[in-house]
Structures are given as structure tokens and as C-alpha cells.
Amino acid sequence: MSVDRPLTVGATGLVGDAQGDTRNHGGPEKALHHYPLDHYSVWTAEIGHRDVLAKPGAFGENLSTLGLVEDDVAIGDVFTLGSAIIEVSQGRQPCWKLNERFAQPDMAKRVQASGRTGWYYRVLQPGEVAPDSRLERIDRPAPAWTISRVWRVFYIDVLNRAELEVLAELPRLAEGWKRYARRRLETGAVEDWTSRLAGS
């Protein structure tokens, strides 16, 4: 992670870094969005050059690193970020706004299908981030439940009851994602992703 000036990490994210759609973005469970810079070259190879891929932030993230991807990060992982302490809460659910940003009509669908979604943090302790701050993991209570594994349950093996039963009660998983798991267990059906991925 790199910043060019000191920033404050508050309870709902970086102070001064607002979301355009606060109904679907932001809030305590999605205070910070992390997207790996590792994926940028893969996207360029798949969809061709896009100006937005020239620097971090293309996916709306406010944290980007090299060497840390969805296979390496698990629900409940706790990191220090400067003097702040943050915790992984859920993966990212891509939405149709990515289609517009990348001038690629199926970009949100591609991101979801690829598993290269990024993830969100909740803030356990607000603090300050300086240009020389590091992102360092300090706790890992559920290493088996990586972002990649959760992604597979939600988007690939969508009615795997054994996995859904664990997710429905998984400590530190965002409550909204627990509700998805419980609803699938109760109904035997998967929620409709059309409006989220394609827009209205």
C-alpha cells in the first residue's frame, strides 16, 4: 500500500474518501476495499488495454498491494494498517458500475466468475496511515475460510449445504453474507444476480 500523505482510518473507512452509492457501498462491514494489484496484468491480458488499469483504484479499491490475493486472505484475518487495526469481513460482490468504468458490458460478470473480486475490511481500531505504513497480518482465526473458498460457495458451488451451514454461522463473516447462506438453506434457491451485474 502506498499513500502520498497521512490519512485517517475511521470506523467506516478513510476519512474524506466517500462512496457515491452509500446504499450498496461502504458502511462498517465494507469500510475498506482491498483489490490486489497482482490482478491488473491478468485483466489487461484478458480484456486489452484500459486507461483505468494504469494505476491502482480501477476497481474502486482504496487499498492495493502486491503479493496478497484471495487465496491468501481469510475471513476474520486481522491486520495492522499504520496505527489502525482492520479485519477481513467479506469478499466483494461486483456490480454493474464496473461495466461502465471499463467500457466492457460484462465486466462485473467477468470479475465475479474469475474469483478475482477483492475483499472488504471492517475497522476494529481507528488510526492513522502514513506514507511509510505497512499492512501486516497479526491474527488469523479461520485460515481455512479464504476469500477464494467463500467465493466458490457463493458463486460456483452455490447450493452446497455443508458449506452453507458453516458460512451461516461463521464468526466474523459479514452478517449480510450469513443471511444469504441462511436464505439458500431455507429456500433451496440462489438469489437473482441480474440487476447487480447488469444494472436495471
Side-chain angles (χ1 to χ4, degrees), residues 4-17:
D4 58 9
R5 59 187 173 82
L7 297 172
T8 299
V9 179
T12 56
L14 294 172
V15 173
D17 182 24

Side-chain angles (χ1 to χ4, degrees), residues 123-136:
V123 177
L124 301 182
Q125 175 183 297
E128 303 296 318
V129 184
D132 60 349
S133 293
R134 296 178 58 83
L135 181 70
E136 297 184 343

Side-chain angles (χ1 to χ4, degrees), residues 70 95 156 190 198:
E70 291 80 0
C95 79
I156 305 299
V190 178

Side-chain angles (χ1 to χ4, degrees), residues 7-164:
L7 297 172
T8 299
V9 179
T12 56
L14 294 172
V15 173
D17 182 24
Q19 288 86 21
D21 176 8
T22 54
R23 181 171 175 266
N24 296 303
H25 300 281
E29 298 282 25
K30 297 185 281 188
L32 296 169
H33 175 217
H34 189 150
Y35 197 82
L37 194 60
D38 310 65
H39 298 332
Y40 276 52
S41 60
V42 183
W43 285 118
T44 299
E46 288 187 8
I47 66 172
H49 172 78
R50 297 290 194 281
D51 289 342
V52 293
L53 288 170
K55 60 182 181 179
F59 294 84
E61 71 271 25
N62 42 31
L63 288 178
S64 189
T65 57
L66 284 168
L68 196 64
V69 297
E70 291 80 0
D71 286 336
D72 309 317
V73 176
I75 300 299
D77 280 6
V78 178
F79 293 82
T80 57
L81 178 63
S83 62
I85 300 176
I86 60 178
E87 181 182 62
V88 177
S89 57
Q90 65 178 70
R92 192 241 182 110
Q93 287 186 302
C95 79
W96 59 269
K97 291 183 180 179
L98 290 174
N99 304 340
E100 295 183 352
R101 184 166 180 79
F102 284 86
Q104 179 78 34
D106 62 347
M107 190 64 184
K109 187 175 180 181
R110 283 173 176 258
V111 171
Q112 179 169 297
S114 73
R116 301 189 297 268
T117 60
W119 57 90
Y120 286 105
Y121 300 94
R122 60 175 65 89
V123 177
L124 301 182
Q125 175 183 297
E128 303 296 318
V129 184
D132 60 349
S133 293
R134 296 178 58 83
L135 181 70
E136 297 184 343
R137 183 160 34 209
I138 59 172
D139 194 18
R140 179 161 241 223
W145 284 98
T146 63
I147 296 296
S148 291
R149 182 177 178 183
V150 176
W151 162 81
R152 179 164 294 282
V153 177
F154 272 98
Y155 303 123
I156 305 299
D157 192 10
V158 293
L159 291 175
N160 183 322
R161 291 193 64 87
E163 298 278 272
L164 287 170

